[in-house]
């Protein structure tokens, strides 16, 4: 009986330590993003800047497209992912001096702001919505 309890305690400690490491990893990543760069602003400051500067350029159609694209992200992380992608879209819009955020900017921003593992889902979603993704093949990090 005591060996069973001892085994349970060892397994429980390993699970607990693993969870601490996983949580620490994500907290450290967030900490690094909040550190000021050489220009005095952090990545999160720039993200907020781009979102604030382009807030008026969004319309209902492009917001709905962004919502559909972040749909596969777990609910817990969806808002963070959406802000990160919206920041990249805002950056692209400001660089292009766009008068309106359009479908092209949303798709390019999504591709540039997300890891390659998400691009497979994006291509499937664009095919489903009958949106031609050939102009974006150079930006995709997967073979299409």
């Amino acid at each position: 009986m005591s060996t069973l309890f001892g085994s349970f305690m060892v397994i429980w400690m390993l699970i607990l330590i693993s969870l601490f490491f996983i949580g620490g990893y994500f907290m450290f990543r967030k900490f690094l993003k909040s550190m000021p760069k050489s220009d005095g602003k952090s990545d999160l400051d720039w993200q907020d800047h781009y979102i604030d500067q382009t807030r008026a350029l969004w319309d209902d159609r492009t917001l709905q497209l962004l919502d559909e694209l972040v749909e596969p992200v777990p609910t817990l992380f969806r808002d963070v992912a959406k802000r990160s992608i919206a920041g990249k879209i805002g950056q692209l819009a400001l660089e292009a001096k766009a008068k309106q955020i359009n479908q092209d900017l949303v798709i390019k921003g999504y591709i540039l702001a997300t890891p390659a593992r998400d691009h497979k889902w994006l291509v499937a979603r664009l095919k489903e919505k009958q949106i031609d993704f050939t102009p974006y093949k150079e930006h995709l990090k997967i073979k299409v």
Side-chain angles (χ1 to χ4, degrees):
M1 185 71 150
S2 71
T3 58
L4 182 64
F5 182 72
S7 299
F8 172 76
M9 289 304 293
V10 169
I11 292 171
W12 178 246
M13 284 178 24
L14 291 174
I15 290 172
L16 213 56
I17 289 170
S18 299
L19 290 174
F20 280 135
F21 275 119
I22 291 169
Y25 169 75
F26 285 108
M27 293 202 47
F28 187 68
R29 283 184 56 204
K30 186 77 166 185
F31 170 74
L32 287 179
K33 282 186 171 187
S34 67
M35 292 293 294
K37 304 291 184 209
S38 59
D39 61 3
K41 286 189 172 186
S42 69
D43 290 342
L44 295 176
D45 292 336
W46 279 112
Q47 175 183 306
D48 291 340
H49 169 75
Y50 293 133
I51 290 172
D52 291 340
Q53 292 296 312
T54 59
R55 192 173 305 273
L57 303 180
W58 290 85
D59 62 15
D60 291 338
R61 193 175 48 82
T62 54
L63 282 172
Q64 181 182 4
L65 178 61
L66 180 60
D67 285 337
E68 290 174 7
L69 293 179
V70 296
E71 209 172 273
V73 177
T75 309
L76 184 61
F77 306 110
R78 194 171 295 157
D79 289 337
V80 174
K82 190 174 175 182
R83 283 191 67 78
S84 175
I85 295 167
K88 179 55 87 174
I89 294 167
Q91 179 184 1
L92 293 173
L94 289 177
E95 288 171 358
K97 295 179 176 48
K99 302 282 186 226
Q100 188 77 24
I101 291 181
N102 56 22
Q103 175 178 297
D104 180 56
L105 286 170
V106 172
I107 295 171
K108 274 187 197 171
Y110 183 90
I111 292 170
L112 295 174
T114 57
R117 68 178 178 266
D118 294 345
H119 295 178
K120 195 178 293 184
W121 188 89
L122 172 68
V123 169
R125 188 63 169 193
L126 293 176
K127 284 180 182 177
E128 177 186 308
K129 293 180 70 56
Q130 298 175 346
I131 297 173
D132 181 28
F133 62 90
T134 52
Y136 313 107
K137 281 187 178 180
E138 66 186 47
H139 301 294
L140 291 170
K141 298 171 188 151
I142 61 168
K143 289 190 178 194
V144 183

